[in-house]
């Protein structure tokens, strides 16, 4: 029995070690491929690295584990970077051309403007959706109040708990009495005849 437990523990350690080695190998392979592509396509890498700087900054500053702000800024930043890449590929695809493109301001208006638009969307959409939900709740509340008014008209005031007559047999605690109930209680007490004294 103890031998089986030791063997299963040893096997699980070996499996964990094998998985870690596989993950390391995949990570190293992906890094090698990225570095190779960055060197081969150096002008494109230079332009993308410069244009996607707002996304990198947002990734560093975003404290959310899901990185929602980074995704919204990065998607629109990448969309604004694509025209600059097309211009680079159409006119010249050299390092000197990439440096010259970085020196001009025209392509970066779209890239950085896209990043700004992504940031604004991430800031404004939650506010707009919260306002929409509040308005929707208010309109549904108004609809419910109209239906309640219609039910009061058809069925009388007993349908609404606010207008229901109190049960005369039920005791009303003093702390929970309302002004109307106190008046009714005092009126009922004054209507009763006083006990005859001996």
């Amino acid at each position: 029995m103890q031998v089986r437990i030791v063997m299963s523990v040893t096997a699980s350690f070996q499996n964990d070690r094998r998985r870690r080695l596989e993950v390391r190998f995949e990570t190293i392979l992906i890094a090698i491929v990225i570095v190779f592509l960055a060197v081969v396509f150096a002008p494109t890498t230079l332009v993308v690295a410069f244009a996607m700087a707002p996304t990198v900054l947002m990734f560093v500053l975003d404290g959310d584990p899901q990185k929602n702000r980074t995704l919204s800024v990065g998607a629109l930043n990448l969309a604004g970077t694509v025209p600059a890449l097309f211009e680079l590929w159409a006119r010249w695809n050299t390092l000197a051309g990439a440096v010259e493109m970085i020196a001009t301001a025209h392509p970066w208006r779209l890239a950085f403007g896209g990043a700004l638009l992504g940031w604004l969307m991430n800031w404004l959409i939650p506010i707009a959706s919260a306002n929409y939900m509040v308005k929707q709740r208010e309109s549904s509340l108004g609809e419910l109040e109209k239906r309640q008014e219609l039910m009061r008209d058809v069925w009388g005031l007993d349908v609404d708990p606010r207008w229901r007559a109190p049960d005369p047999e039920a005791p009303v605690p003093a702390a929970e009495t309302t002004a109307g109930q106190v008046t009714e209680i005092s009126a009922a007490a004054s209507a009763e005849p006083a006990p005859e004294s001996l």
Side-chain angles (χ1 to χ4, degrees), residues 69-102:
R69 287 187 207 113
T70 304
L71 289 174
S72 63
V73 169
L76 291 172
N77 189 201
L78 182 63
T81 302
V82 169
L85 290 176
F86 284 155
E87 185 179 340
L88 174 72
W89 297 333
R91 293 176 68 191
W92 55 88
N93 197 10
T94 62
L95 277 174
V99 170
E100 186 177 331
M101 177 176 277
I102 289 172

Side-chain angles (χ1 to χ4, degrees), residues 31-85:
I32 289 171
V33 168
I34 288 174
V35 169
F36 176 74
L37 291 175
V39 169
V40 170
F41 301 107
T44 303
T45 303
L46 188 61
V47 169
V48 168
F50 186 78
M52 296 295 285
T55 302
V56 173
L57 181 64
M58 184 57 73
F59 181 80
V60 170
L61 296 178
D62 194 1
D64 184 17
Q66 296 176 346
K67 303 288 186 190
N68 291 329
R69 287 187 207 113
T70 304
L71 289 174
S72 63
V73 169
L76 291 172
N77 189 201
L78 182 63
T81 302
V82 169
L85 290 176

Side-chain angles (χ1 to χ4, degrees), residues 99-174:
V99 170
E100 186 177 331
M101 177 176 277
I102 289 172
T104 61
H106 172 68
W108 310 123
R109 290 182 192 147
L110 288 175
F112 295 159
L116 178 64
L117 186 62
W119 183 81
L120 285 174
M121 282 177 54
N122 198 325
W123 181 60
L124 290 175
I125 286 178
I127 295 171
S129 64
N131 284 336
Y132 172 74
M133 290 175 69
V134 166
K135 295 293 183 191
Q136 189 178 19
R137 297 290 182 217
E138 287 175 354
S139 73
S140 66
L141 183 63
E143 184 65 31
L144 287 174
E145 287 175 351
K146 287 178 187 174
R147 289 174 63 190
Q148 190 177 32
E149 185 68 33
L150 180 64
M151 288 176 67
R152 262 198 307 264
D153 292 343
V154 172
W155 294 95
L157 293 178
D158 286 338
V159 183
D160 191 353
R162 294 177 294 180
W163 300 100
R164 188 175 298 146
D167 185 10
E169 309 232 344
V172 180

Side-chain angles (χ1 to χ4, degrees), residues 5-23:
I5 293 173
V6 170
M7 289 176 63
S8 66
V9 169
T10 306
S12 67
F13 280 134
Q14 289 175 347
N15 288 338
D16 288 344
R17 186 175 179 203
R18 198 174 299 135
R19 279 190 213 120
R20 278 184 274 167
L21 287 175
E22 287 173 5
V23 170

